[in-house]
Amino acid sequence: MTFDPKDCGTCPIRHRAVCARCEADELETLDGIKFYRSFEAGQPVIWSGDNMDFVASVVTGVASLSQAMEDGRTQMVGLLLPSDFLGRPGREAATYDVVAVSNLTLCCFRRKPFEKIMLQTPHIGQRLLEMTLDELDAAREWMLILGRKTAREKIASLLTILARREASLALQTAESGTSFELPLTREAMADYLGLTLETVSRQMSALKREGIVLLEGKRKVIIPDFDALMAETGDDADGGMVS
Amino acid sequence: MTFDPKDCGTCPIRHRAVCARCEADELETLDGIKFYRSFEAGQPVIWSGDNMDFVASVVTGVASLSQAMEDGRTQMVGLLLPSDFLGRPGREAATYDVVAVSNLTLCCFRRKPFEKIMLQTPHIGQRLLEMTLDELDAAREWMLILGRKTAREKIASLLTILARREASLALQTAESGTSFELPLTREAMADYLGLTLETVSRQMSALKREGIVLLEGKRKVIIPDFDALMAETGDDADGGMVS
DNA sequence: GTTGCGCTTTGACCCAGATCAAAATGCGTG
DNA sequence: CACGCATTTTGATCTGGGTCAAAGCGCAAC
C-alpha cells in the first residue's frame, strides 16, 4: 500500500503549464492530503449510495462506473484509465458503482480538504472543468454508439476508442499495426455497449474471421490495418470523433 | 431582437450566493459583452464544425444538440432548456449540430471576452464546473436509457425527465396531477431515445390507451398519476435518478 | 495428469422494434 | 371551405440481436 510519490506523476490535476507562482504551494498542499489505495481486478471500489469521503485520480489500471437496474440490467457509464478523475467535489454519496476492471491503483485525496484547496487554487477547478468537459464529449460520443450503431459498429467503435486511449498513454503511435491490451471481459464490453455478451463474442469472432482484428492470447488485440477497423465504426473517415 | 436585460435573470452563471465582493464587477463585465439571438422552431443555430465565436445561455425555448452519421442516422446528445449553457470556452468549432426545437432565445457572450472574464472571476468557472458535472450525470442517466431500457421504459423515462425539469423551472409542484408542454416532435423524441418515430408513436398510444398519460391537443401532456408513470420507467421507486 | 471453475464460443430459436406502406389528423392559406 | 403539406397513427412484415442451451477452452490447484 506504499508507493513512490512520483507514481502520481500522471495526476492530471497538477498538469498546468501556466502560473508557476502558486504551483509549488498547490503541489505541497495536495501532497499533504493524498494517499494511495489499490484494488485487485474485479474488486468493488465503492457502491452507488455509499458515503464517498475522497476524490481520486487513477494511477494504474482500469476502473468502471456503472448503473444497475434492480432486475440486473447493467449499463457501464464511465471507463476510467490512468490520469482519469474519480468522484465529485461537493457530493457526499457515490452516484455509481465503481469496480476495478483490472488491478487498480488510485491516488486519493480526502474530499473536504480537497474542496478547501480547490477554493484557494483556481487552477485545480479550471483543470477539473477541462477534464469534465472532455468526459462529457466522450459521453456524448458514447450516446451515439448506444443509440444508433449496430452491434458490429459498436464493437469496432470500442476497439478504436481503446486503441486510441492506450496509444495516447504510451505514446507509441502505430506504424506497422496498432496493438493493445484489452482489459475488459466480454461481459464488461457488453455492459459498455448495451449488448449481451453472446453478441459481443459473435461480433468479435466475425471481425477476427475477417482479419480486421487479431487476438493473441485472450488479452492482446492486434489491429493490422487501423483504417479497415475505422471503416467498420460507421463514423466519418476523417477524425469526426471527439477526444 | 431587443430584450429587456432582466430577461436574462435566468442566466445561471450569475447565480452565486457567495462573495458579493466581485459580484457587481462580474455582472457589469458580462453585461458589456452580451447580446441576444432568437430562432424560430426548427431553425438551425449552428452546425457541427462551424466556427463558434460565442457561448450562450438559453433564456426561453428549447434547443437540441445532436450528432449525425453520414447515412442519416441521428442521435440527440443534449437537450437544452432555459438556464442551460451552450458552447465550450476554449473551443473554436462547434462539435454538435444545434437546432432550435421550439422558438428559442439565447443570451450570448462573445467567446474571447468571456474567456478573459472567466480567468478574472473564478465564480464563473466554478459555476460552469457545477453545471457541467450535472450535465455529465444527466448524460450517464441517458446512457442507461439508451443502452438497457425497452421502448416503453424509454418513453416513460423521457416523460418523467421533461415533467421534472419543467416543474423545477415553473416551481409548480404536482398536487393533482402533473402536466407540461411537450416541446418535441415524435421524430425528436425518437432521436433522443434511439428509436424510430413509429415506435415512439406506438408506445405513446399505448400509454395513452392505458390512461398513464393524457394528451390535450398535441402539445400538452397530463400525467394523472406520476407514480404510475414512474413505475413504467424501470427505475427504482425511490429517487434513484440523478438530477 | 485430471479435476474444477470461470470465461468464451457456437448453435437454435424467438421477439421487440425496425422497415415499408397507407391512411388519418391537423392546420395554415388562398 | 377545400386544398396542400407536414405530422402522426396504424397496419403488415421482416430481422438483428436477445434468449436459452450446450459445448469448448484455458489455467490454477491438487
Side-chain angles (χ1 to χ4, degrees):
Chain A
M1 203 68 157
T2 51
F3 288 84
D4 186 342
K6 75 170 154 38
D7 279 349
C8 206
T10 56
C11 191
I13 49 188
R14 292 176 172 182
H15 286 178
R16 298 250 79 235
V18 241
C19 185
R21 185 171 49 78
C22 54
E23 191 75 14
D25 287 359
E26 176 187 325
L27 285 182
E28 216 172 304
T29 340
L30 278 175
D31 276 350
I33 60 163
K34 81 155 188 263
F35 57 99
Y36 293 96
R37 294 182 65 187
S38 288
F39 302 85
E40 288 182 20
Q43 279 190 327
V45 173
I46 199 162
W47 297 115
S48 175
D50 287 357
N51 179 55
M52 183 147 177
D53 55 0
F54 65 93
V55 296
S57 161
V58 175
V59 180
T60 59
V62 182
S64 69
L65 307 190
S66 38
Q67 284 189 296
M69 301 172 67
E70 62 267 55
D71 64 3
R73 282 176 285 174
T74 298
Q75 177 63 52
M76 198 185 294
V77 297
L79 189 63
L80 304 184
L81 302 192
S83 90
D84 283 338
F85 189 82
L86 169 65
R88 173 168 176 167
R91 174 168 286 167
E92 298 284 334
T95 317
Y96 310 102
D97 298 329
V98 183
V99 175
V101 166
S102 66
N103 290 344
L104 177 72
T105 305
L106 297 180
C107 175
C108 303
F109 306 94
R110 288 188 297 124
R111 189 165 56 77
K112 287 292 183 193
F114 183 86
E115 287 165 10
K116 215 179 306 168
I117 293 171
M118 256 187 78
L119 290 178
Q120 293 155 11
T121 15
H123 281 164
I124 300 185
Q126 287 165 17
R127 181 75 191 112
L128 221 44
L129 177 56
E130 286 288 313
M131 294 174 66
T132 309
L133 285 165
D134 285 341
E135 259 194 291
L136 186 56
D137 278 334
R140 285 171 165 164
E141 190 68 40
W142 199 335
M143 282 166 53
L144 175 64
I145 292 173
L146 289 172
R148 293 302 187 194
K149 290 192 177 180
T150 65
R152 165 178 263 250
E153 288 169 340
K154 285 179 174 182
I155 298 285
S157 298
L158 173 57
L159 293 176
T160 60
I161 287 170
L162 290 173
R164 266 202 264 260
R165 291 203 58 181
E166 299 227 5
S168 77
L169 289 177
L171 29 111
Q172 41 90 286
T173 321
E175 56 290 331
S176 64
T178 327
S179 80
F180 62 95
E181 293 296 312
L182 179 68
L184 304 177
T185 65
R186 295 288 179 261
E187 185 177 25
M189 293 174 72
D191 285 345
Y192 188 115
L193 297 171
L195 297 170
T196 60
L197 81 185
E198 292 96 328
T199 298
V200 170
S201 181
R202 275 186 251 272
Q203 296 297 338
M204 286 293 287
S205 298
L207 290 176
K208 193 168 51 179
R209 200 178 314 124
E210 298 169 32
I212 293 171
V213 304
L214 312 176
L215 302 188
E216 193 166 90
K218 188 105 335 146
R219 291 280 91 114
K220 187 117 186 159
V221 177
I222 301 169
I223 302 168
D225 178 359
F226 197 81
D227 290 340
L229 180 61
M230 274 295 295
E232 301 298 332
T233 63
D235 296 320
D236 310 33
D238 64 67
M241 294 190 70
V242 181
S243 157
Chain B
M1 201 69 157
T2 51
F3 287 84
D4 186 341
K6 76 171 153 34
D7 280 349
C8 207
T10 57
C11 190
I13 49 188
R14 292 176 173 179
H15 286 178
R16 297 251 79 237
V18 242
C19 187
R21 184 172 50 78
C22 54
E23 190 77 14
D25 288 359
E26 176 186 326
L27 286 183
E28 215 171 304
T29 339
L30 278 175
D31 276 351
I33 60 163
K34 82 155 188 262
F35 57 100
Y36 293 96
R37 294 182 65 187
S38 288
F39 302 84
E40 288 181 20
Q43 279 190 329
V45 173
I46 198 163
W47 296 115
S48 173
D50 287 358
N51 179 55
M52 183 148 177
D53 55 1
F54 65 93
V55 296
S57 161
V58 175
V59 180
T60 60
V62 181
S64 69
L65 307 189
S66 38
Q67 284 189 295
M69 302 172 67
E70 63 268 55
D71 65 4
R73 281 176 284 174
T74 299
Q75 177 63 51
M76 197 185 293
V77 296
L79 187 64
L80 305 184
L81 301 193
S83 90
D84 283 337
F85 190 82
L86 169 65
R88 176 168 173 167
R91 174 167 286 167
E92 298 284 333
T95 318
Y96 309 102
D97 299 329
V98 183
V99 175
V101 166
S102 65
N103 290 344
L104 177 72
T105 305
L106 297 180
C107 175
C108 302
F109 305 94
R110 288 188 298 123
R111 189 165 56 77
K112 288 292 182 193
F114 183 87
E115 287 166 10
K116 215 180 302 169
I117 293 172
M118 257 187 76
L119 290 178
Q120 294 156 12
T121 18
H123 281 165
I124 300 184
Q126 286 166 17
R127 183 73 191 114
L128 220 45
L129 176 57
E130 286 288 313
M131 294 174 67
T132 308
L133 285 165
D134 286 340
E135 259 195 290
L136 186 56
D137 278 335
R140 285 171 166 165
E141 190 69 40
W142 199 337
M143 282 167 51
L144 175 64
I145 292 173
L146 288 171
R148 293 302 186 194
K149 291 194 177 179
T150 65
R152 164 177 265 249
E153 289 169 340
K154 285 178 174 183
I155 298 284
S157 298
L158 173 57
L159 293 176
T160 59
I161 287 169
L162 290 174
R164 265 202 264 260
R165 291 202 58 181
E166 299 226 6
S168 75
L169 290 178
L171 28 112
Q172 40 92 287
T173 320
E175 56 290 333
S176 65
T178 327
S179 80
F180 61 96
E181 294 295 312
L182 180 67
L184 304 176
T185 64
R186 295 286 178 262
E187 186 177 24
M189 292 173 72
D191 285 346
Y192 188 116
L193 297 171
L195 297 171
T196 60
L197 82 184
E198 293 95 328
T199 298
V200 171
S201 180
R202 274 186 251 272
Q203 296 297 337
M204 286 292 289
S205 298
L207 290 176
K208 193 169 50 178
R209 199 179 314 124
E210 298 170 32
I212 292 171
V213 304
L214 312 176
L215 301 188
E216 193 166 90
K218 187 105 331 150
R219 290 280 91 115
K220 187 116 185 159
V221 176
I222 301 169
I223 302 168
D225 177 359
F226 197 80
D227 290 339
L229 180 61
M230 274 296 295
E232 302 297 333
T233 64
D235 295 321
D236 309 33
D238 65 66
M241 293 190 70
V242 181
S243 158

